């Protein structure tokens, strides 16, 4: 069976199961010797990243015990070796304190780690089989480990000058807003101090205090949004906080993340989001605002390698398409089959008017419900999103469900099934435990039901995207193209390519995404090229 490895930035321990022996050596030696043997280990994405940084191509992994543990139990939240060994093998690993003068203590922990990983691998193979997770593990998550490792090593090219300009704009706007707020208040105070802000808003200006807390009245976003029409200072404070957050997240931190090669090498995680979706950190590229003008501004700074082009492929309404597929609601299926503007078609059914007479408002309302369904949004959330009273939002939702009767039935039966089973399962086999669904009451129960409802949709979306990434990467490699996958965020996939590969890459991206799953409704992809992420997003 495949060798099990444990590694750090320079050394590696290799466990040979047939002989039960451990060999130690440098990473460089290991990369020279491994050839096309598939390695196994715990969290071995980093090994693929290190290999790619040295232009070494490793065979696809044989097993990764952190991925196995995540698939078997997506809710425990921690998948490092110590936790997984404790949870599945009942073994407590004490960390060897590293000595400054002694490299051998590092080697000692590698030897111990590789033996633990080998035991875990045996145990977790049984668990993967017992929970019928072979398909999602072998076909999607395991090969993705190598794809993500290579993606991290490549990184994404950025225009650092533009990032500096944007950071300066944020800083400037924060200063301007700060001055405006002090002026409106009539004296200087610290806007970031909740105590001083309470004094200004509630004592001096006499505005409505919405929510009582230990130290007086809340100045959180929700409380301030509720009174934003009472005084011109409130919109200024809300905007100040928004820009301050952007500055703190995408100002200096983003610039600091640029490596000497002019690229940002984020770390991607496939075991963080319980739904199975990817996330990233150092820096987090998944929370660049999607809809705001600042988000768009930031995207201009993400560019292809010099002389290359950037392709952005976006999956249109993927959650709603998945919902149509899962619920088999004839109205929803028909809306997608008609090849018309789907939100307009849905609005026509909801409000009982001909497609040609749907107003902008009606389309927006239907669209908000459609998106909300995938996240289990309630009438309250919808009222916030549409800026209408809760009663009006409830009315829109009722009309929506009346227009698509099988939808409600599907949602109810799904929740019932998950309550009985204790977990949800996607068509690819991915499971997510919901142990408290049967026992929860009141608001907790509603929240658990929303999550359960959402898990099937988000989980299948995750399966489809991860599967598409694997297909895409395999084909770019097998056809010997220079083009490479550099990012997957939300419903988008980014590929950079030299101009002469443009047509081939088009075909490969579309094939990888469209055929990643076979749903009752076709997946629809928008694919655009551009000189930066914003331009290619259209």
């Amino acid at each position: 069976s495949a060798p099990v490895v444990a590694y750090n930035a320079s050394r590696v321990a290799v466990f040979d199961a047939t002989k039960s022996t451990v060999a130690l050596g440098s990473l460089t030696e290991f990369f020279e010797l491994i050839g096309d043997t598939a390695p196994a280990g715990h969290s071995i994405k980093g090994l693929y990243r290190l290999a790619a940084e040295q232009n070494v191509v490793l065979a696809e992994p044989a097993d990764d015990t952190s991925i196995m543990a995540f698939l078997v139990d997506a809710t425990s939240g921690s998948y490092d070796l110590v936790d997984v060994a404790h949870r599945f093998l009942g073994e407590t690993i004490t960390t060897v304190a590293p000595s400054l003068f002694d490299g051998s203590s590092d080697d000692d922990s590698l030897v111990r780690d590789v033996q633990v990983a080998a035991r875990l691998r045996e145990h977790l193979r049984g668990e993967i089989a017992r929970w019928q997770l072979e398909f999602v593990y072998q076909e999607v998550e395991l090969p993705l480990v190598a794809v993500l490792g290579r993606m991290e090593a490549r990184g994404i090219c950025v225009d650092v000058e533009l990032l500096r300009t944007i950071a300066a704009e944020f800083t400037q706007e924060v200063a301007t807003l700060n001055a405006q707020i002090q002026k409106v208040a009539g004296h200087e105070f610290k806007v970031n101090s909740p105590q001083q802000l309470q004094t200004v808003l509630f004592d001096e200006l006499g505005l409505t205090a919405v929510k009582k807390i230990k130290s007086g009245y809340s100045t959180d976003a929700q409380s301030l949004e509720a009174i934003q029409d009472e005084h011109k200072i409130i919109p200024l404070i809300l905007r100040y906080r928004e820009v301050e957050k952007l500055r703190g997240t995408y100002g200096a931190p983003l610039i600091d993340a640029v490596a000497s090669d002019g690229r940002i090498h984020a770390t991607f995680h496939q075991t963080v989001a319980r739904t199975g979706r990817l996330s990233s950190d150092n820096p987090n590229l998944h929370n660049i605002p999607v809809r705001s003008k600042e988000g768009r501004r930031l995207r201009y700074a993400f560019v292809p390698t010099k002389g290359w082009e950037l392709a952005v492929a976006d999956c249109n309404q993927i959650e709603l398409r998945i919902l149509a597929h899962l619920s088999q609601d004839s109205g929803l299926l028909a809306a997608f089959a008609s090849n018309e503007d789907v939100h307009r078609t849905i609005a026509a059914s909801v409000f009982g008017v001909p497609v040609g007479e749907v107003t902008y408002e009606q389309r927006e309302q239907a669209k908000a419900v459609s998106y909300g369904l995938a996240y289990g949004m309630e009438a309250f959330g919808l009222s916030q999103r549409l800026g209408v009273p809760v009663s009006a939002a409830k009315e829109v939702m009722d009309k929506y469900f009346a227009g698509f009767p099988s939808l409600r039935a599907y949602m109810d039966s799904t929740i019932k099934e998950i309550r009985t089973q204790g977990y949800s399962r996607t068509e690819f086999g991915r499971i997510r435990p919901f142990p408290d669904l049967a026992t929860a009451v009141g608001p907790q129960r509603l929240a658990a039901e929303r999550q359960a409802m959402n898990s099937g949709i988000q989980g299948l979306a995750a399966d489809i995207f991860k599967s598409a990434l694997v297909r895409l990467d395999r084909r770019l490699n097998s056809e010997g193209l220079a083009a490479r996958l550099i990012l997957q965020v939300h419903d988008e996939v980014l590929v950079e390519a030299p101009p002469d590969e443009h047509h081939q890459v088009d075909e490969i991206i579309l094939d990888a995404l469209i055929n990643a799953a076979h749903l009752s409704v076709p997946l629809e992809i928008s694919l655009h090229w551009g000189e930066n992420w914003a331009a290619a997003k259209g």
Side-chain angles (χ1 to χ4, degrees):
S1 78
V4 180
V5 301
Y7 62 96
N8 55 32
S10 60
R11 305 274 293 164
V12 65
V14 183
F15 178 78
D16 180 340
T18 42
K19 305 194 191 103
S20 290
T21 54
V22 177
L24 279 156
S26 73
L27 260 184
T28 327
E29 278 178 282
F30 172 74
F31 289 148
E32 281 167 10
L33 293 171
I34 183 124
D36 51 12
T37 307
H42 190 86
S43 296
I44 56 173
K45 171 168 62 81
L47 189 67
Y48 284 83
R49 178 171 179 162
L50 289 162
E53 283 165 1
Q54 299 188 24
N55 290 318
V56 173
V57 180
L58 296 177
E60 284 191 359
D63 272 316
D64 186 321
T65 48
S66 69
I67 303 293
M68 292 160 115
F70 170 70
L71 284 172
V72 170
D73 174 17
T75 50
S76 61
S78 177
Y79 302 96
D80 59 30
L81 189 63
V82 176
D83 289 330
V84 173
H86 186 72
R87 208 159 49 241
F88 288 98
L89 301 176
E91 294 188 17
T92 305
I93 302 177
T94 47
T95 43
V96 184
S99 140
L100 286 175
F101 309 105
D102 173 19
S104 70
S105 66
D106 278 355
D107 276 359
D108 289 346
S109 47
L110 283 180
V111 169
R112 185 209 56 214
D113 289 356
V114 80
Q115 290 172 322
V116 173
R119 288 197 289 279
L120 260 179
R121 182 186 182 200
E122 289 310 309
H123 176 80
L124 286 169
R125 275 182 153 170
E127 291 292 298
I128 291 283
R130 186 161 78 95
W131 288 99
Q132 299 174 335
L133 293 161
E134 292 95 342
F135 183 82
V136 67
Y137 174 57
Q138 297 290 349
E139 301 300 318
V140 182
E141 295 284 359
L142 186 59
L144 187 66
V145 169
V147 176
L148 295 179
R150 290 194 285 268
M151 230 160 83
E152 292 179 1
R154 283 168 197 150
I156 185 164
C157 196
V158 287
D159 177 341
V160 182
E161 282 316 301
L162 182 54
L163 282 182
R164 287 206 177 94
T165 307
I166 296 170
E169 284 167 12
F170 288 154
T171 307
Q172 180 57 53
E173 192 181 344
V174 166
T176 309
L177 286 162
N178 195 30
Q180 285 175 309
I181 292 167
Q182 321 280 339
K183 197 175 165 193
V184 173
H187 61 86
E188 285 192 12
F189 76 101
K190 275 204 178 71
V191 184
N192 282 337
S193 152
Q195 280 319 114
Q196 293 185 26
L197 188 57
Q198 282 182 48
T199 307
V200 169
L201 297 182
F202 307 128
D203 302 347
E204 297 172 14
L205 295 173
L207 302 180
T208 311
V210 178
K211 193 160 68 180
K212 196 162 174 29
I213 51 170
K214 266 212 287 287
S215 54
Y217 291 98
S218 173
T219 56
D220 67 3
Q222 219 175 357
S223 306
L224 293 188
E225 277 163 14
I227 55 168
Q228 61 183 336
D229 300 335
E230 286 190 15
H231 197 286
K232 62 180 178 184
I233 198 167
I234 305 286
L236 288 172
I237 292 165
L238 289 169
R239 177 66 187 159
Y240 169 86
R241 286 185 182 165
E242 189 185 352
V243 181
E244 181 63 5
K245 183 171 184 256
L246 285 163
R247 187 182 71 98
T249 316
Y250 300 110
L254 211 49
I255 295 164
D256 293 344
V258 182
S260 55
D261 60 1
R263 300 173 82 93
I264 285 178
H265 300 268
T267 303
F268 298 99
H269 299 285
Q270 56 192 122
T271 62
V272 170
R274 293 171 175 193
T275 52
R277 287 247 183 182
L278 285 176
S279 65
S280 61
D281 59 18
N282 300 325
N284 181 347
L285 299 172
H286 283 73
N287 68 354
I288 293 181
V290 176
R291 289 183 179 81
S292 70
K293 63 178 200 303
E294 287 81 18
R296 189 171 167 80
R297 184 100 176 85
L298 282 161
R299 285 188 177 81
Y300 278 104
F302 288 80
V303 296
T305 296
K306 212 176 161 64
W308 284 27
E309 300 169 318
L310 195 61
V312 176
D314 204 324
C315 253
N316 305 333
Q317 310 105 9
I318 181 145
E319 278 103 357
L320 196 52
R321 284 167 193 271
I322 287 173
L323 191 55
H325 166 75
L326 293 174
S327 67
Q328 288 293 310
D329 181 280
S330 54
L332 270 187
L333 293 173
F336 283 112
S338 72
N339 281 326
E340 301 295 314
D341 167 359
V342 68
H343 295 300
R344 183 173 295 281
T345 312
I346 287 175
S349 297
V350 172
F351 297 104
V353 296
V355 173
E357 290 171 30
V358 171
T359 65
Y360 172 77
E361 246 74 354
Q362 288 174 326
R363 183 180 182 276
E364 286 304 293
Q365 290 185 337
K367 185 176 168 180
V369 180
S370 295
Y371 279 119
L373 288 175
Y375 293 93
M377 182 166 66
E378 294 294 299
F380 174 72
L382 183 65
S383 72
Q384 300 277 90
R385 188 153 180 171
L386 292 173
V388 299
V390 176
S391 57
K394 191 168 173 351
E395 207 172 303
V396 175
M397 288 187 88
D398 290 343
K399 279 186 176 156
Y400 195 102
F401 283 120
F404 301 104
S406 323
L407 209 49
R408 176 100 275 175
Y410 162 71
M411 292 167 88
D412 293 341
S413 70
T414 302
I415 291 166
K416 211 162 93 189
E417 192 180 316
I418 296 173
R419 188 179 287 126
T420 321
Q421 277 188 331
Y423 60 88
S424 67
R425 187 186 286 277
T426 68
E427 291 181 7
F428 279 60
R430 178 186 306 280
I431 57 175
R432 176 177 170 186
F434 283 97
D436 47 355
L437 191 58
T439 52
V441 289
Q444 272 77 32
R445 174 168 170 172
L446 285 173
E449 286 184 352
R450 280 204 298 275
Q451 276 187 346
M453 191 48 245
N454 163 12
S455 66
I457 301 164
Q458 296 298 324
L460 187 51
D463 293 339
I464 291 171
F465 272 106
K466 284 175 161 174
S467 164
L469 290 184
V470 171
R471 294 168 56 93
L472 184 54
D473 187 76
R474 278 182 181 157
R475 268 199 72 189
L476 292 175
N477 289 337
S478 69
E479 302 196 11
L481 297 175
R484 43 214 190 164
L485 181 58
I486 47 177
L487 190 59
Q488 192 259 306
V489 47
H490 305 304
D491 298 347
E492 293 172 51
V493 176
L494 276 66
V495 172
E496 60 170 6
D500 60 338
E501 292 181 4
H502 192 122
H503 294 296
Q504 252 177 303
V505 170
D506 260 350
E507 192 268 317
I508 290 175
I509 293 177
L510 291 174
D511 170 65
L513 285 162
I514 291 170
N515 297 314
H518 298 287
L519 307 180
S520 322
V521 290
L523 289 181
E524 187 184 276
I525 315 296
S526 305
L527 175 57
H528 300 286
W529 292 79
E531 55 190 355
N532 59 57
W533 188 0
K537 206 172 151 47

